[in-house]
Amino acid sequence: KMPASIPEADGRHRASAAFSLSFLSLVFSITAFSSSYWCEGTRKVAKPFCKGDSKGDLCIRFNSPDGNSSQAVQYIWETGDDKFVEKKFHAGIWYSCEEMINEDGERCRSFISLTPASDRGVLWLSIVAELLYVVLLLTGNILMSVEMCYYSSVIDGLKINAFSAVVTVLAGLLGMVAHMMYTTVFQMTVNLGPEDWRPHTWDYGWSYGLAWTSFACCMAAAVTTINKYTKTILEFKHKRKKLERSFRIQYKFPDP
């Protein structure tokens, strides 16, 4: 007969650590997936003509209100960077936004519509992988919470523990693939995307870092869960050997 209990304190600490890491991973992944700050940068665009009484360095004025006047040639004297302005932008999986010139607010466009047609399939695969990543993380969280509250059978707890470990590992692999596919699609969009969107300078934003932090927490949760499962199995084997040895001594069976 197998022992009915294991050292509870250590097992609960490991289960709590795995659940906490998995929950953090879920929160980070949902936050990153729904945000538009995976990549940030600037676009270099020509200054628009000033309208009405608007003043400032973000638009170009004529000496005459008549746009067809010969004095409009003043625009030609705006050379080099003087006739350009940098607009900040940020992009995510779902949409890309950039600030307006001489106006408050931002103008947003669907990132899917900006992606080259040849790469939209990869982007959709990335989106599906991200969704599956979130679903598997949620499933792993539910299993871990059930395991933490389930004490009637150690064997059933081990089965739940093993299944949650497999689900968490699969989630981590899907998350890694999804993040890498999006990185590839964004770089292709920078090179081949619409002329009125291509950035002048860009870098990865806080959402991108949060997505990879989610992946790191997910894999840490998987390692902790697998470690708990392995240690529990080893403790079972050790206790069974001690129990068999005590039976032999009690009934004086020969030790093989």
Side-chain angles (χ1 to χ4, degrees):
K1 182 179 179 180
M2 296 187 71
S5 64
I6 61 174
E8 295 289 337
D10 184 61
R12 289 183 184 180
H13 287 322
R14 290 173 184 271
S16 299
F19 176 78
S20 300
L21 288 167
S22 182
F23 182 76
L24 277 177
S25 178
L26 178 63
V27 172
F28 290 164
S29 65
I30 293 175
T31 304
F33 186 60
S34 58
S35 70
S36 62
Y37 286 85
W38 285 63
C39 299
E40 300 176 79
T42 59
R43 289 190 59 240
K44 198 171 185 180
V45 297
K47 293 179 182 179
F49 297 119
C50 294
K51 297 179 180 179
D53 295 330
S54 59
K55 298 179 180 180
D57 298 330
L58 299 181
C59 64
I60 299 173
R61 293 189 61 82
F62 294 111
N63 288 338
S64 168
D66 183 6
N68 295 322
S69 171
S70 61
Q71 295 181 10
V73 76
Q74 178 183 347
Y75 174 74
I76 299 175
W77 293 98
E78 296 281 350
T79 58
D81 288 338
D82 291 336
K83 68 176 181 179
F84 291 102
V85 63
E86 289 189 344
K87 297 167 58 176
K88 293 181 180 179
F89 86 98
H90 53 90
I93 292 178
W94 297 106
Y95 51 91
S96 173
C97 298
E98 61 186 49
E99 64 180 352
M100 305 285 286
I101 300 178
N102 294 324
E103 294 182 28
D104 295 331
E106 295 180 324
R107 182 171 71 100
C108 296
R109 290 180 284 179
S110 169
F111 183 74
I112 298 173
S113 65
L114 299 172
T115 307
S118 58
D119 295 312
R120 284 178 189 169
V122 179
L123 179 60
W124 278 112
L125 284 176
S126 173
I127 292 173
V128 171
E130 286 284 355
L131 287 172
L132 288 175
Y133 175 53
V134 172
V135 170
L136 288 176
L137 279 176
L138 179 61
T139 304
N141 272 268
I142 293 173
L143 290 172
M144 290 177 189
S145 61
V146 169
E147 180 194 357
M148 289 172 61
C149 303
Y150 193 76
Y151 302 112
S152 62
S153 172
V154 178
I155 299 300
D156 289 343
L158 273 175
K159 292 177 181 178
I160 296 174
N161 183 252
F163 191 56
S164 62
V166 172
V167 168
T168 309
V169 170
L170 287 176
L173 293 176
L174 272 174
M176 179 182 67
V177 171
H179 303 344
M180 293 176 67
M181 283 194 297
Y182 176 79
T183 304
T184 302
V185 170
F186 185 83
Q187 291 174 350
M188 293 299 294
T189 306
V190 168
N191 296 324
L192 303 175
E195 289 286 348
D196 64 341
W197 177 85
R198 294 182 193 177
H200 178 62
T201 60
W202 67 275
D203 201 352
Y204 296 111
W206 62 265
S207 295
Y208 188 79
L210 199 64
W212 282 108
T213 303
S214 170
F215 166 74
C217 290
C218 176
M219 296 312 294
V223 170
T224 305
T225 306
I226 293 171
N227 182 266
K228 179 179 180 294
Y229 177 82
T230 304
K231 188 171 183 180
T232 304
I233 292 296
L234 292 176
E235 286 175 350
F236 265 122
K237 291 182 178 179
H238 179 68
K239 286 181 175 291
R240 186 174 64 180
K241 287 181 180 179
K242 287 180 63 177
L243 191 61
E244 290 175 351
R245 190 176 296 112
S246 66
F247 281 158
R248 292 193 197 98
I249 294 173
Q250 182 178 356
Y251 295 103
K252 296 180 181 180
F253 289 154
D255 193 5

